[in-house]
Amino acid sequence: MFLKSLEIRGFKSFLDKTELDFKQGITAVVGPNGSGKSNVSDAVRWVLGEQSVKTLRGGKMEDVIFAGTQFRKPVGLAQVSLTLDNTDGALPIEYSEVTVSRRIFRSGESEYLINNRQCRLKDITNLFMDTGIGKEGYSLIGQGKIDAILNGRPEERRSLLEEAAGIVKYKTRKEEAEKKLSNTNQNLVRIDDIISTYE
Ligand code: ATP
């Protein structure tokens, strides 16, 4: 699996449709200060489902929408699409190419898509779980992240290793099953109570 392309439109400083094609190997993004290099990595984080406006260096989620300049008017929609080659089947989906997209309107409404079909944030999270690519994945190492990992609590470091080992999906499923079991137990207790009032 590898990153093939990134399409950005109306996101932060990228008003016009901007398409970045990545070849296999190393790609470096260079440019003067303030030209938008970090906005490219913000776009990747955002399309993978980042919910923290602080991580995206903003005050509120709408701040990711192009806010206008002296010469260009603000827009009402930001959209980012990330395309990955999945010929090795690393992503659990039956497509050799996978495009995930996210849109946000100034009204606050937002949408996620996988291969142009609307989906939930959870579907995006599940798709990338245990691949290292998701918003919490180790493939996105921001400034200061290495220090944070080295100085982090043992549990935080452990979660990074768990993602690399590919066991996060099993832990998540176990937690979901335990929650369902606990809800079912509570329902049983309530049913027992109701039955006892009739006896
Ligand atoms: P440096 O090398 O200094 O780290 P950089 O190339 O990484 O800079 P970025 O931080 O990606 O630059 O981009 C900053 C630019 O993006 C600023 O000019 C800022 O005005 C612009 N910008 C950020 N959000 C928006 C927005 N919503 N609308 C328009 N422009 C924006």
Side-chain angles (χ1 to χ4, degrees), residues 144-197:
K145 181 81 190 272
I146 304 260
D147 278 349
I149 293 167
L150 293 175
N151 300 323
R153 286 180 292 128
E155 307 88 76
E156 284 163 0
R157 269 183 275 166
R158 179 182 162 150
S159 67
L160 202 76
L161 294 173
E162 284 175 348
E163 168 93 16
I167 58 167
V168 177
K169 58 175 167 292
Y170 302 113
K171 274 188 80 172
T172 310
R173 281 182 208 159
K174 185 180 164 205
E175 278 161 22
E176 283 172 0
E178 279 172 351
K179 209 166 149 199
K180 273 189 197 158
L181 202 62
S182 150
N183 286 344
T184 307
N185 279 332
Q186 280 173 21
N187 286 342
L188 277 173
V189 171
R190 277 168 51 202
I191 288 170
D192 278 347
D193 281 350
I194 294 167
I195 290 172
S196 68
T197 60

Side-chain angles (χ1 to χ4, degrees), residues 24-36:
Q24 288 211 47
I26 295 172
T27 302
V29 180
V30 291
N33 287 352
S35 60

Side-chain angles (χ1 to χ4, degrees), residues 58-166:
K60 50 186 184 327
M61 203 39 105
E62 289 91 276
D63 289 343
V64 301
I65 305 173
F66 177 74
T69 62
Q70 200 184 342
F71 305 106
R72 316 220 38 187
K73 285 189 182 151
V75 291
L77 165 71
Q79 176 167 335
V80 175
S81 295
L82 181 85
T83 301
L84 295 138
D85 179 288
N86 188 40
T87 39
D88 62 359
L91 296 175
I93 185 169
E94 284 174 17
Y95 289 97
S96 55
E97 194 171 281
V98 181
T99 300
V100 289
S101 312
R102 181 173 178 183
R103 290 187 192 136
I104 186 172
F105 297 86
R106 220 168 260 291
S107 57
E109 205 183 315
S110 96
E111 282 174 1
Y112 293 91
L113 300 101
I114 295 177
N115 285 354
N116 280 327
R117 293 181 77 157
Q118 216 166 325
C119 66
R120 301 161 304 170
L121 167 59
K122 195 175 176 210
D123 300 316
I124 305 252
T125 311
N126 287 347
L127 181 66
F128 291 111
M129 201 174 268
D130 288 329
T131 62
I133 290 182
K135 70 180 180 67
E136 301 293 345
Y138 44 80
S139 59
L140 279 166
I141 306 282
Q143 282 171 18
K145 181 81 190 272
I146 304 260
D147 278 349
I149 293 167
L150 293 175
N151 300 323
R153 286 180 292 128
E155 307 88 76
E156 284 163 0
R157 269 183 275 166
R158 179 182 162 150
S159 67
L160 202 76
L161 294 173
E162 284 175 348
E163 168 93 16

